Amino acid sequence: MAISLRQLEYFITVVDEGSFTGAAELLGVSQPGLSHQIQALERELGGPLLERLPRKVRLTPAGRTALPHARASLAHAQRASSAARRASGAETGELHVGTLYSISTGVLPGALRTWRRSYPELQVHLVELPHTNELIAAMEAGQADVAVGPTPPEWDGPCRVIGTEEFVIAAAPDALPYPDGAQVPLADLAQQDWVHYTARSGLSDILNSACEHAGFTPRLSVRTEQSPSALSLARAGVGLALLPGNIVPPHFDGTLLRPDPPVLRPLAVYTRVRPDPITAAFVSAISVETLVTPSHITERLGPLPE
């Protein structure tokens, strides 16, 4: 007997609810019927997936191994069904877009505005993640239809580079002996306090790498997971912040500097398979809207050096 998507859904729901009773209520099925489907799944996989305890269930080693694959299979099926309905024009549902926190703040708003002019009936669900590795894993698991993020290495599916994002240094007004818009060797800032990022954030890797190449380890003042928070903390004088220029608003009244050498992040939009027409329209929109550096940042810092 083949494994069914219903069995996978039942298995995942039991795990998430922590009991057969709660899962049966949520799924709207009888508890014996739910148990029968789980037992059939266990027979098909060759062993128990769940340990039945008096007040809860616990995953067996085989269950822990099977769970992420079950989630991925169910998500793939849901995304495939959604894409097929969108392609036939039969759905007014959601386009799931995977991205990073900093990109959803800085790069995506313009592209989403452009895309929704053509598809106002469709909603967008952002799957926002802190690190590139998590974004790639989410795409591989079928949790999004399309991803916008740092160019993934060795991606098997369609992938289009859309531009290179420039990072800038933000500081409080008059916090540094440099004029606004100056290009400053990063090594000259080694003695400054820095607004850092949590270890989960990919921005932490970017700051650490840039400082390492400049010959120092950034001196931590505070950690945050979000680049807009880093900008606010830098403006308040808590420390310097290295962040994507795309998240700096035109009205920012602190100091902005360009690190020397420049800190850049190539961006791409990618899918697992050839996109359906609606997803393809989003790919086109993000490709058109993405700028290497926002115009108001170029006005303050000048064009990127050749």
Side-chain angles (χ1 to χ4, degrees), residues 103 135 147-152 159-163 265-270 286:
I103 293 173
L135 176 58
V148 181
T151 305
C159 179
R160 180 189 296 183
V161 175
I162 55 176
R265 177 167 68 173
L267 299 180
V269 56
Y270 52 101
I286 188 70

Side-chain angles (χ1 to χ4, degrees), residues 171-173 231-239:
L231 182 65
S232 298
L233 291 164
R235 172 62 182 82
V238 176

Side-chain angles (χ1 to χ4, degrees), residues 72-244:
S73 296
L74 193 61
H76 273 302
Q78 291 169 342
R79 296 275 74 75
S81 175
S82 177
R85 291 195 297 272
R86 287 200 309 269
S88 66
E91 180 180 43
T92 57
E94 291 184 332
L95 179 71
H96 287 234
V97 179
T99 192
L100 302 181
Y101 293 143
S102 59
I103 293 173
S104 68
T105 301
V107 174
L108 283 185
L112 291 174
R113 179 185 62 243
T114 298
W115 181 81
R116 281 188 53 79
R117 287 175 187 151
S118 299
Y119 300 97
E121 74 284 359
L122 280 162
Q123 300 175 5
V124 173
H125 177 86
L126 292 180
V127 181
E128 298 169 279
L129 298 157
H131 199 284
T132 301
N133 292 342
E134 293 184 38
L135 176 58
I136 293 172
M139 279 296 290
E140 290 174 341
Q143 295 172 11
D145 304 304
V146 58
V148 181
T151 305
E154 301 178 0
W155 184 252
D156 290 336
C159 179
R160 180 189 296 183
V161 175
I162 55 176
T164 302
E165 189 174 33
E166 180 182 7
F167 280 64
V168 299
I169 296 169
D174 303 320
L176 296 170
Y178 305 102
D180 185 72
Q183 182 167 319
V184 179
L186 199 56
D188 290 359
L189 305 174
Q191 300 306 312
Q192 299 292 327
D193 291 332
W194 288 84
V195 176
H196 213 317
Y197 301 94
T198 59
R200 254 190 96 206
S201 171
L203 298 177
S204 176
D205 296 342
I206 291 173
L207 175 58
N208 285 336
S209 177
C211 293
E212 180 182 353
H213 281 94
F216 71 96
T217 299
R219 192 167 67 189
L220 170 68
S221 64
V222 65
R223 287 188 186 272
T224 179
E225 195 164 54
Q226 302 282 3
S227 51
S229 299
L231 182 65
S232 298
L233 291 164
R235 172 62 182 82
V238 176
L240 307 185
L242 181 70
L243 38 77

Side-chain angles (χ1 to χ4, degrees), residues 219-287:
R219 192 167 67 189
L220 170 68
S221 64
V222 65
R223 287 188 186 272
T224 179
E225 195 164 54
Q226 302 282 3
S227 51
S229 299
L231 182 65
S232 298
L233 291 164
R235 172 62 182 82
V238 176
L240 307 185
L242 181 70
L243 38 77
N246 277 301
I247 70 104
V248 181
H251 60 267
F252 178 70
D253 61 352
T255 298
L256 287 184
L257 305 173
R258 171 177 281 143
D260 181 18
V263 178
L264 306 173
R265 177 167 68 173
L267 299 180
V269 56
Y270 52 101
T271 58
R272 290 180 303 279
V273 296
R274 182 178 178 181
D276 61 80
I278 293 174
T279 305
F282 174 81
V283 172
S284 297
I286 188 70
S287 300

